[in-house]
Amino acid sequence: MASSGSTATGPGSPCGACKFLRRKCAIDCIFAPYFSSEQGPARFAAIHKVFGASNVSKLLLHIPAHDRCEAVVTIAYEAQARIRDPVYGCVAHIFALQQQVECLQAQLMQVKAQLAQNGMNSNHINGTQY
């Protein structure tokens, strides 16, 4: 990822966040490395709607540069989840996944029990045939 607005998006073109906010993109724009001019505006729209550009900017400034990309991905995911479910956000998805894991674990236990039962039946049948 590039570290300046002009390098990340090309000379003279604003990053996606600045494009969405309709402002000039500074060379040291905190958003430029993470929001391209082409895809960035749509991606940034959800983040701005849920968290606000100023809050995200302040948050990114407090995160070490090497961790910011992952933070932006996480913030974008949470923003999309909050738009879909304003109350629970990504927690609703986590709960759904936990329920799916519990269901799959129960199915696995049933299959293991059936395999064990089939193995016992097979041993019993094999033992009586010889």
Side-chain angles (χ1 to χ4, degrees):
M1 298 262 162
S3 60
S4 72
S6 61
T7 308
T9 59
S13 65
C15 72
C18 291
K19 194 174 193 179
F20 177 81
L21 297 169
R22 296 183 179 164
R23 68 181 189 193
K24 185 175 172 137
C25 191
I27 290 211
D28 60 346
C29 176
I30 189 79
F31 299 121
Y34 316 107
F35 299 99
S36 69
S37 185
E38 299 81 37
Q39 303 164 339
R43 188 171 168 214
F44 187 76
I47 291 173
H48 178 62
K49 182 177 182 179
V50 173
F51 300 112
S54 178
N55 290 332
V56 174
S57 172
K58 290 174 191 172
L59 178 67
L60 291 176
L61 287 171
H62 286 85
I63 296 173
H66 65 276
D67 290 332
R68 287 182 188 161
C69 184
E70 191 172 341
V72 168
V73 170
T74 304
I75 292 166
Y77 182 81
E78 177 63 26
Q80 287 294 331
R82 285 278 168 192
I83 287 172
R84 282 191 304 274
D85 187 339
V87 175
Y88 292 106
C90 68
V91 173
H93 191 227
I94 292 168
F95 285 149
L97 290 172
Q98 285 175 333
Q99 289 176 337
Q100 187 178 3
V101 166
E102 288 173 11
C103 181
L104 290 170
Q105 285 174 332
Q107 289 176 1
L108 181 60
M109 295 283 285
Q110 286 177 334
V111 169
K112 283 182 176 181
Q114 286 176 340
L115 286 173
Q117 184 65 37
N118 290 344
M120 286 176 33
N121 289 343
S122 176
N123 287 341
H124 180 69
I125 292 170
N126 289 338
T128 57
Q129 288 180 343
Y130 295 110

